[in-house]
Amino acid sequence: MLIYTGAKDIHSFLLKNKSNRRSIGFVPTMGALHSGHLSLIENSKKLHDITVCSIFVNPSQFNQKDDFEKYPITTSKDIELLLSTACDVLFLPSTQEIYPAGWNSEAQIDIGDLANIWEGHFRPGHFAGVVQIVKLLLEIIVPNAIYMGQKDYQQCLVIDKLIKSQHFDTQLHMCPIIREADGLAMSSRNSRLSASAREDALVLYKALCYIKDNFQLQSNHELLHTAESYFHNHENIKLEYIVIADRNSLSALIDQKENAIVLVVAWIDGVRLLDNSLL
Ligand code: AMP
């Protein structure tokens, strides 16, 4: 596996390969890799000659300093995992390499309402940071396709909008959520959960399963009412939101049963976890 830390170096390497008709699949991550990330790399490898993974903990997308400072960094283990999946190229830049003039100096791109509801509402500035880094990475990597997880469903919609509005010649592939054996969605933040918080964290998956299993039997309001009660039974769990929404606009659905997704975010012992399920 080739490891690049310089943006210009990896850009010219990949451009040369592209001009030799080699296709590039790209998997952006913030590291602390797990099987969810590796599944994106495996999906890319099926369709592309070169798979590039980036690891960069992007400061501009954290709306809480504490969350940024506590974000797990496990670079040597990440490199071993990438070698085990036969990833071709790792881009591992420093913050200075990505933002030589500081991240506040970059012009912002307006994504519209999609960036302001749910995650955008509860994490002000988050999507501006995500859009900023993904745009820079797309310019550096020039991939034919970008692979992202359904786990961050709203992020996929936002990046799809970025790709279309900026006319990037890149296809977005949204890949399924990879879960632990008991159903908890894999996440780098799971490593911050204590043993008891890890058990409590299953409540997100249970609430999603309840809604999915009963979706055609009850009204959306009834489903959400019962699912919310799951969270109220645990005192160290704080539900941030659970909503049945339209898959494209993400606006809340009152009665509609078509084209729906349920999105949930909860805090468990100070760790913010998110999950979703297509209905
Ligand atoms: P992150 O490192 O958390 O920024 O995630 C990098 C990419 O991995 C994003 O596209 C995520 O949606 C994706 N991802 C994270 N967790 C999972 C998972 N459990 N299953 C599938 N994809 C995931």
Side-chain angles (χ1 to χ4, degrees), residues 239-260:
L239 176 64
E240 195 158 86
Y241 64 84
I242 183 161
V243 61
I244 296 172
D246 179 86
R247 287 184 197 182
N248 302 113
S249 68
L250 294 190
S251 45
L253 297 178
I254 310 302
D255 296 317
Q256 192 183 310
K257 292 285 182 186
E258 295 80 41
N259 204 39

Side-chain angles (χ1 to χ4, degrees), residues 7-25:
K8 282 194 186 125
D9 296 340
I10 192 169
H11 181 69
S12 58
F13 168 77
L14 292 170
L15 267 193
K16 213 181 295 161
N17 276 279
K18 255 189 132 177
S19 61
N20 288 333
R21 294 179 174 274
R22 306 199 78 203
S23 84
I24 298 164

Side-chain angles (χ1 to χ4, degrees), residues 201-236:
L202 256 196
V203 69
L204 282 89
Y205 182 62
K206 287 183 182 156
L208 294 182
C209 288
Y210 175 81
I211 291 181
K212 195 169 172 72
D213 293 346
N214 296 285
F215 192 53
Q216 296 302 339
L217 306 174
Q218 295 175 28
S219 71
N220 294 352
H221 176 76
E222 282 169 322
L223 291 163
L224 290 172
H225 184 72
T226 307
E228 278 166 14
S229 70
Y230 284 32
F231 294 84
H232 300 150
N233 296 333
H234 299 248
E235 55 185 38
N236 60 336

Side-chain angles (χ1 to χ4, degrees), residues 151-216:
K151 162 101 183 343
D152 298 281
Y153 185 81
Q154 188 172 356
Q155 173 170 276
C156 288
L157 294 186
V158 165
I159 296 307
D160 191 47
K161 191 128 195 231
L162 166 73
I163 288 171
K164 288 178 178 143
S165 73
Q166 300 297 300
H167 309 291
F168 280 108
D169 191 11
T170 300
Q171 206 187 352
L172 171 68
H173 292 265
M174 184 171 75
C175 303
I177 302 174
I178 304 298
R179 299 181 177 280
E180 302 287 356
D182 62 3
L184 178 69
M186 289 191 180
S187 163
S188 305
R189 288 185 175 88
N190 291 351
S191 64
R192 287 171 48 201
L193 295 170
S194 66
S196 72
R198 167 67 185 78
E199 268 179 41
D200 291 340
L202 256 196
V203 69
L204 282 89
Y205 182 62
K206 287 183 182 156
L208 294 182
C209 288
Y210 175 81
I211 291 181
K212 195 169 172 72
D213 293 346
N214 296 285
F215 192 53
Q216 296 302 339

Side-chain angles (χ1 to χ4, degrees), residues 42-104:
E42 281 153 13
N43 276 310
S44 166
K45 283 188 67 75
K46 283 182 207 154
L47 289 182
H48 302 284
D49 302 308
I50 299 177
T51 290
V52 181
C53 174
S54 66
I55 296 180
F56 180 64
V57 184
N58 173 37
S60 76
Q61 73 187 67
F62 284 82
N63 56 312
Q64 287 187 345
K65 198 167 167 246
D66 188 49
D67 190 28
F68 175 59
E69 282 166 0
K70 286 189 181 152
Y71 203 83
I73 307 234
T74 57
T75 312
S76 339
K77 191 170 154 242
D78 291 347
I79 291 174
E80 275 173 36
L81 286 172
L82 291 173
L83 288 169
S84 76
T85 56
C87 180
D88 302 296
V89 181
L90 168 61
F91 182 40
L92 190 61
S94 64
T95 307
Q96 172 68 21
E97 181 69 16
I98 294 292
Y99 301 120
W103 58 84
N104 293 329

Side-chain angles (χ1 to χ4, degrees), residues 125-145:
H126 169 63
F127 283 128
V130 169
V131 164
Q132 178 181 38
I133 185 62
V134 175
K135 178 175 178 284
L136 286 171
L137 289 171
L138 288 175
E139 286 163 357
I140 295 167
I141 309 293
V142 288
N144 298 82

